[in-house]
Amino acid sequence: MGTEASPAQHDRQQGRLAGKRSLVTGGASGIGAEVARRFVSEGAEVMVGDLKGGDVVLDVRSAASVEAGVRAAAERLGGLTTLVCNAGRPVLGGMPDIGEDEWLDGIATNLTGVYLTAKAAWPYLAESGGSVLATASTLGLMAVGGQAGYCAAKAGVVMLTKCMALDGAELGIRANCVCPGMVETPMLEHIINEQPDPDHARRAAVEYHPLRRLGKPADIADAFVYLASDEASWVTGVALVVDGGFTTGKDVRF
Ligand SMILES: NC(=O)c1ccc[n+]([C@@H]2O[C@H](COP(=O)([O-])OP(=O)(O)OC[C@H]3O[C@@H](n4cnc5c(N)ncnc54)[C@H](O)[C@@H]3O)[C@@H](O)[C@H]2O)c1
């Protein structure tokens, strides 16, 4: 057997994402920041797009802002192979109490933002035969009381991902999303600290997960690395659950 590296071994030496050119929205904090960091460590070139800074400032609720941000990122990267639609925010309130403004802005940020960003990036992804990824949620698969707007938006992200997989297939565009359980980020910290007894809420959050810990941004970033890589070249339309068992079922014993 010869000693020269095979193409796959060569890629691995370069990193699993060598040659990828990526834009990560919501990449200034939490899960998105870790995705950006992991992508770079795997050899990708990465631009962060975020309302609060990053390489390009963009607001995923605005078509004009997203189009300008995607164009700027693609120009600086010399194209785009991988879009990560991760920007999002909590939407608090159940039915019928959730206010109309909260509903509309929650849907705009968490669902319409994915549509607008993917739409703006589509020509670049078609050119590269690239992939679009989104951060959905376990709450897009399972209803949780008091979070009607968030659950509806994230369920929409799961279904939009599947539609993009079908519509993009003949262009060579793959589309997948990740559904995290509760992950230790500023967003979760904010939700927990809003509760009447934050310490109790934190313990309860851990208990909801059969593996008895909250997720770390790295747990989610690892899933994104896989889906963005050529290891997943035959994977499209998937909602990959990474949740410590949160959605597995109820542990009912008498
Ligand atoms: N943390 C969790 O437990 C959890 C669980 C499931 C899904 N998610 C999802 O993961 C994603 C990242 O959340 P996180 O926990 O890292 O939160 P985070 O608050 O730490 O980060 C979210 C980022 O999105 C940016 N952002 C918000 N609105 C934006 C807009 N309109 N345009 C551009 N950027 C915007 C924020 O500035 C921030 O940098 C979100 O889509 C969230 O819904 C989080």
Side-chain angles (χ1 to χ4, degrees), residues 35-172:
V35 169
R37 199 192 65 73
R38 283 281 285 121
F39 274 30
V40 168
S41 78
E42 290 292 349
E45 288 180 71
V46 178
M47 303 279 290
V48 163
D50 201 290
L51 199 54
K52 295 183 188 153
D55 303 302
V56 282
V57 177
L58 55 79
D59 182 344
V60 298
R61 297 167 296 185
S62 153
S65 170
V66 163
E67 280 160 20
V70 168
R71 195 181 323 115
E75 277 170 11
R76 278 152 77 175
L77 291 167
L80 198 61
T81 67
T82 316
L83 172 69
V84 182
C85 301
N86 166 78
R89 72 162 181 84
V91 190
L92 297 178
M95 286 299 287
D97 300 324
I98 179 171
E100 191 178 341
D101 288 347
E102 177 69 354
W103 171 274
L104 290 173
D105 193 71
I107 297 289
T109 306
N110 292 306
L111 175 56
T112 310
V114 177
Y115 153 74
L116 291 175
T117 318
K119 188 177 168 79
W122 206 257
Y124 301 103
L125 298 176
E127 196 180 330
S128 63
S131 83
V132 50
L133 301 164
T135 311
S137 173
T138 46
L139 272 56
L141 304 171
M142 185 183 91
V144 166
Q147 302 216 35
Y150 189 77
C151 291
K154 292 299 188 179
V157 172
V158 171
M159 190 49 71
L160 177 59
T161 299
K162 291 173 187 288
C163 291
M164 290 195 291
L166 291 181
D167 293 338
E170 68 179 15
L171 297 169

Side-chain angles (χ1 to χ4, degrees), residues 173-242:
I173 298 176
R174 296 185 299 110
N176 294 291
C177 64
V178 177
C179 296
M182 296 180 204
V183 182
E184 287 172 342
T185 67
M187 174 170 144
L188 182 66
E189 201 53 33
H190 176 76
I191 294 169
I192 285 176
N193 287 333
E194 294 274 287
Q195 304 308 311
D197 182 347
D199 287 338
H200 171 77
R202 193 168 287 107
R203 279 194 302 277
V206 170
E207 292 297 308
Y208 285 134
H209 298 77
L211 290 181
R212 293 292 184 266
R213 71 168 173 88
L214 297 175
K216 297 187 184 308
D219 294 313
I220 311 307
D222 283 342
F224 276 108
V225 168
Y226 165 66
L227 291 170
S229 77
D230 294 342
E231 296 157 30
S233 63
W234 207 46
V235 179
T236 196
V238 156
L240 179 54
V241 175
V242 182

